[in-house]
Amino acid sequence: MLKERLLELRAQALEKIESADGLKTLQEAHVRFLGKKGPITEVLKGMGKLSAEERPIVGQLANEVRKLIAAKIEEKKADLEAKLLEKQLEAEKIDVTLPGRKITTGSHHLLASIIREVEDLFIGLGFSIEEGPEVEQDYYNFEALNLPKDHPARDMQDSFYITDEILMRTHTSPVQAHTLEKHKGIGPVKVICPGKVYRRDNDDATHSHQFMQIEGLYVDHHVRLSDLKGILTVFAKHLFGADREIRLRPSFFPFTEPSVEMDISCFRCGGHGCRVCKGTGWIEILGAGMVHPNVLRMSGFDPNEYTGFAFGMGPERIAMLKYGIEDIRHFYTDDIRFLRQFNRA
Amino acid sequence: MLVSYKWLQDYVDLTGVTPEQLADKITNAGIEVEHIDYPGEGLKGIVVGKVEACTPHPEAKKLHLCQVNLGSETVQIVCGAPNVAAGQKVPVATVGAQIANHVTIKRAQLHGTESNGMICSLEELGFDRNYVPKEYADGIYIFDDQVPVGADALPYLNLDDVILDLDILVNSAHCMNMLGVAFEVAAILDRKVRFRKPEVMESTDSAGSRISVSVEAADKVPYYGARVLTGIQVTPSPRWMQLRLIAAGVRPISNVVDIANYVMLEYGQPLHTFDLDQFGSNHILVRFAGENEEITTLDGQQRILVSDDLLVTNGKKGVAVAGVMGGENTEVSNDTKNVLLEAAVFDPISIRKTASRLQLRSDASSRYEKGVDRNRTAVAADRAAELLAQFAHATVLKGIVEQGYRTVPEQKITMPLEKINQVLGTQLPREQIVGILKRLNFTVKTEGETLHISVPARRFDVSIPEDIIEEVGRIYGYNRIPATLPDGTSSHAALTPYQKIRRRVEALMESTGLNQVYTYSLTTKMHASSYAVHHAATEPTQVVWPMSEEHEALRQSIVPQLIDVIQYHLNRQMADVKLYEIGKVFLPDAGSPRPSEEEHLAGIMTGKRTERNWEGEPESVDFFSVKGIVETLFESLAIENQVDYRPSKRAGMHPGQTADILLNGEVIGYLGTLHPTVQREHGLNATYVFEIAIESLLRRGATEISYQLLPRYPSTSRDIALVVKRSVAAADLYRVIREHGRPLLKSVRLFDVYEGGHVASDEKSMAFSLVYFDPERTLTDDEVNAVHEKILNACADELGAELRG
Ligand SMILES: [Zn+2]
C-alpha cells in the first residue's frame, strides 16, 4: 500500500513541479512534498508496520522518489531562473548606438607639439634644452654674437628696445651665448634653445611681431661642417619623412662662418616641382653654420681648440609648410577650431 | 643687384652656360638668384622700320600718316606720337605682332585711313615707365642710325637679354657691381675675367690749377679724389648705355649723369658730378656738418643735418651730403659746361647712420654702407673721364686732385692647410684647395703645411681663416661635402626636472579639457597693468618704439590676453571655451629697467562644462569647476596639503567669488569669477579664471614619493552633520576637524551642504565623512568614539557648531 502511495505521490509531485509557473510555486512544491511534515516523511514513518522483506524495498523506493522530486525541482528551478534572466536581459536591452558620455580633453598647441618633437629628437642625440630670458641685454642679443653696435645687419627699427641696452630678444641665440659663458671655455656644449622671440614687424599673413625659434648649438673639439650636415639630415628625415634629402647653400649670418641655408627636397612633390616648393623641388627650412670664432672667443672658448656648429629654425614655418597653414596669425589668434585640429600633431 | 646676362659677357666668356644654369651655379656658390627675368618675353614681330614720309592725318589733328620702310616692304602706319618724324628709325610692331601685355597688332582703319602696324613706345614694348628716358617718355622710341632697317628690333633694345636678380647680403657686397659679379662667375666657372684698364687722354692743363681738396674728417674719409672736365656737351647718352642702365634698374637722364651711374654699376664705386660753374669756389672741403646745418638736396628737399653727418662743402656751404645725395645748387643741368667729378671713399657706418636718419637710401649710399674697394676708386674716376671724353665731348684736365691713399694693402691670411679639411669634414688634396683659391684670384704660397694667402681688396668680406674655409667650401660645393655624425664623446641628455614637470602640467591641463593657447607678451598698457597675481605699484615695462598701442607694454598677467581670446570666440558664436596658457609674465623691477620674468599658468573657462546630449541638459562651468582643476593640479604635485584658499578682493574680479591661492601661507595665485561689470564690458557670459605663479612653484622640484604599505587593518568611517552660522567657512571646519582628529583621523570629506528648509535662515548644515585608521591594529569603537567626541566638542567650542540630529 505504501508503495502505491509513493508512486501516487511521485506522480502528483511531478505534475505540480511541471506546472509550477514561478520560483514561489516551485518552493511551495518543495515544502509540500519534501518538507519534514510532508507525505514522504509520513510514508517513511509508517514503514515500521512493514515486514522485514518489504521495508528495504519501500525504503529504497521512498528515497528514489525523494531524489527524483528533488532533482526535478532543481531542474525546474534552473529552467525558471534561466527564463527569468532572459526576461530581465530582454528588459535591460539598450540602444547601443546612442552616443556615450564623452570626456572632452583639451588640445596641445601645434607649435608646442612641433617644439616638443624637435626637443625629443635632439635629446635623443644628446642635446640638452636651455631656456633664457625674453628681455635681453643688447650685449647677449647682438654683441656676443659678433654683431657689434655698428653692424649693418643690426637695425634699431627691427627690434623692440626697452632702453638703449635692453630689448626684447630678436632670436634665441643669446641663450647660446649665455650657455657658452656658463661652460667657461670647456666643451662639449650641446644644447637646443627653444623660445619666443620678437621683431618690430606689422602682423600680417606672413609676419608676426612675436614668434618661436629653436636654435641648436654643438661646440667640441673637431666639430665639422659635415657633422652639421649629418645632424640636419637626421632632423629633416625625422620631421618631414624618411625619403627627404637635404641641400646646403652658402649664406651669411654674422654669428657663423661659413654660413649655410638648408633646403629639403619637397615633401609634396618629392622634388619634381609644385606650388609648395614654387616649382624648384626644394624648400628652405633653416639657417645654420660653423660658429664664428669671435662668438667662441667672446664667450670664453678658444677657437683654435674648439669648433662648433649652430642652427636656427622657425616652428611656425615648419608647421605652415607641413600642414599648408596659410596665415601665421592663426597661431596667436587661438581659434579653438584651429587649435583642436592639431591635437594629434 | 640686377645682372644683365648680355652685359656680363663683356667680362666673362659664358659660352655653353645658359642663363638658367648660371643662376643655379651662382645660387649654389652662395649668392641667391632670387629670380630670372626675361624682358622680351611674349614679344614677337617687332622690326626696325624707317619712317620715309610723315604727313599730318587729313581727318585727325593729332595723328600722323607715316610711310614706313620695313626692309621687305613699305607700309602705311597711322601714328599718334608727337615725336614721330620722317627719317627716323623706329621699332615697328607689324601686323600680327605681339607687344607688351599680350596685345596683338591688327590691321586697322583710323579715321578712314588704313594702318598696317604700330610704331612703338618703350612702354608698349614692356619697359617699366619709371625707367624710360625723358626724351621717349611721351612718344615712340627712336633708334640711332646704325641700326639696319628690316632687322628684328629686339636685340637692338636688349630685349633678347636675360636679367638675373641677385640677393646681395652683407657678405656679398663685392657683387654689387658688374666686375665683382664677373670675378665671382669666373671663379665658379673656372674661367678668366676680361678687364681693360681705362685709358684717359688728358689735356696739358692741370686739374690742380682749378680746384683743391682738403679733408677735415680724415678717419671717416680715407680717400677723396676729384677730376675736372671741361667743354662738356650735355646730351642723352648712347643707346647701349641707356639700355644697360634700364636693365640694371636705373633711369637714364643725360650723358653726364648716366656715365657716373654706369661706372658705379660697372665698378661699384659711387661717383658724383657737380656743375663746376655753380660750385661757388675753387676749393672742396669735406667736413662734419654743423648741428642743424641745412642743405637742399637735388630731390628738392630741405635737409637738416647733425654733427655726425659728413658734408662736402665749397669751403663755406654744403654742396653734397657725402655719399648720400648731392645738393640742388650744384646739380648738373642741360646747360652744364664744366664738371667736377668726385670719386671718394666714405666711412660705411657714418654713411649708414646719415642715410638712415634722413631716410634717404640711394644706390650710392647702399654701396658705401656695405663698403667699396678703395683700389678701384681712382680707376673708376679714370673710367668715367674716358667715357665723358668719348660721349660728352669732355676735355679731361690733367691729374686727380686728391687726399688720402689710393690703395689699401691686400689682406694676408696665414693658416694651416689641414684646418680647411678639418672644419669642412673633407679630404681635399692640397692642389685642389690651392686651385680653388687661385680661381678666386687669391694669391697663395705654401710653406710646408701652411698656407699664406693674399686676398684682393675687393673681397673685404674675407679676413680670417674661417672665411677662407667658406670660400673653399662654397666653390668646391657644399653638396659634395659628406654627411657625418659627430664622433666626439657621446653625451647623455634629459629634460631638466622643471621641463619635465611643466610637460606634466600641460598634459594635466589638457586632460581636464583646457585647450593650450599662445598669446602675445606685448599688449596695451591697460592690459599690462591688470590681473597681476602680485599687483605692482610701478608702471608695466614698455618698449620705446612700439608698432602700435596694441603691443606696447609687457604683460604682468596672462588673464587679460585670455579674456580677449574668449571675446574673439563669443563674437563667432562659440560660447563654450576652455583655455590655458603657460608663458612668461614680466614684472617691473624697481632697481632695473629690465623686468624680472617668470612663467605663469593661467586658465579661463566659460559656457558649458559638459556636452549637451540625449540624457538631458548640460552642466555649466562655475567657480567650483575652476577650483577643481586647480585642486587637481596641486594634488598631482602632492602639495595639496600645503595649499589654502582665502577670500580676496581683486580689481576686475567678483568680490564674493574670488580666492587667493596660498602655498604655505604665501600668495602664489588666485582664482575666481570675473567681475560682472567686466563681463558686461566685454560682452562675456559668466567667465572663470585662474592664474598661478607656476615657475617658482615647480622649480622647487616634485615632492618625493614615499611609499605607504597597504593597510592591514580595517578603517572605521563615521558621518557627522554640523549646523553652523553661514559665515563659518568650510576651511575652518576642515581645519578644526583635522587638528583635533590627529593622529587617528585619516581623511575627512565634505559630502553635503544644506541651507534653508528646517535649517535657520542664518545657518547652514554641513555633513562630513570621517575615516579613522591605525596602521598597527584594528580600532575599537571606544577609541573611535573618543576622538569623534573630541572633534565634535572642538567644532562646538571653536565654531559654534551643533550636531544635527
Ligand atoms: Zn614641390
Side-chain angles (χ1 to χ4, degrees), chain B residues 391-402:
Chain B
F391 298 106
H393 304 283
T395 302
V396 183
L397 299 202
K398 196 166 134 217
I400 299 178
V401 185
E402 58 192 357

Side-chain angles (χ1 to χ4, degrees), chain B residues 559-753:
Chain B
V559 165
Q561 308 294 77
L562 296 182
I563 294 174
D564 280 355
V565 181
I566 294 293
Q567 199 173 2
Y568 164 94
H569 283 89
L570 280 171
N571 291 341
R572 287 160 184 79
Q573 286 74 49
M574 289 175 276
D576 308 324
V577 186
K578 292 172 268 184
L579 311 170
Y580 84 95
E581 175 170 357
I582 294 179
K584 290 260 178 82
V585 297
F586 304 83
L587 310 170
D589 181 342
S592 159
R594 198 171 164 196
S596 67
E597 300 177 25
E598 58 178 48
E599 281 193 322
H600 279 198
L601 162 68
I604 195 162
M605 301 172 87
T606 186
K608 300 285 176 268
R609 187 164 66 89
T610 54
E611 278 187 32
R612 180 177 183 183
N613 74 358
W614 52 275
E615 286 186 296
E617 284 307 301
E619 291 169 40
S620 289
V621 168
D622 61 8
F623 176 89
F624 296 103
S625 321
V626 175
K627 188 169 181 195
I629 289 175
V630 170
E631 284 172 331
T632 308
L633 169 70
F634 293 135
E635 210 164 284
S636 84
L637 299 171
I639 54 170
E640 74 274 24
N641 292 330
Q642 301 164 50
V643 173
D644 291 303
Y645 301 87
R646 192 172 62 193
S648 87
K649 304 221 182 314
R650 286 173 168 267
M653 298 293 291
H654 192 303
Q657 298 184 5
T658 298
D660 281 351
I661 303 167
L662 294 90
L663 179 71
N664 299 323
E666 192 192 318
V667 174
I668 55 156
Y670 64 89
L671 67 100
T673 312
L674 288 188
H675 198 287
T677 58
V678 173
Q679 296 180 12
R680 209 173 307 124
E681 276 164 27
H682 289 80
L684 305 179
N685 305 323
T687 302
Y688 306 87
V689 298
F690 68 89
E691 180 155 332
I692 298 165
I694 196 92
E695 183 172 349
S696 50
L697 183 72
L698 299 187
R699 285 230 187 262
R700 296 143 33 119
T703 314
E704 294 269 326
I705 295 172
S706 77
Y707 169 65
Q708 304 292 312
L709 289 173
L710 297 181
R712 291 160 65 200
Y713 301 96
S715 57
T716 309
S717 171
R718 297 277 163 91
D719 290 353
I720 45 170
L722 297 168
V723 175
V724 291
K725 293 276 180 229
R726 282 198 181 183
S727 59
V728 173
D732 297 330
L733 282 163
Y734 267 107
R735 179 174 48 75
V736 171
I737 293 172
R738 283 207 181 107
E739 213 171 282
H740 295 273
R742 265 184 229 132
L744 295 184
L745 181 69
K746 190 185 162 207
S747 72
V748 48
R749 174 177 301 273
L750 178 69
F751 68 88
D752 187 42
V753 179

Side-chain angles (χ1 to χ4, degrees), chain A residues 265-283:
Chain A
S265 57
C266 180
F267 48 80
R268 275 287 142 73
C269 64
H272 305 293
C274 71
R275 204 169 47 83
V276 173
C277 57
K278 298 188 184 91
T280 61
W282 295 96
I283 299 174

Side-chain angles (χ1 to χ4, degrees), chain B residues 543-557:
Chain B
V543 299
V544 279
W545 193 19
M547 289 298 283
S548 73
E549 285 178 8
E550 297 300 301
H551 310 296
E552 63 175 338
L554 280 166
R555 67 181 182 188
Q556 298 178 69
S557 162

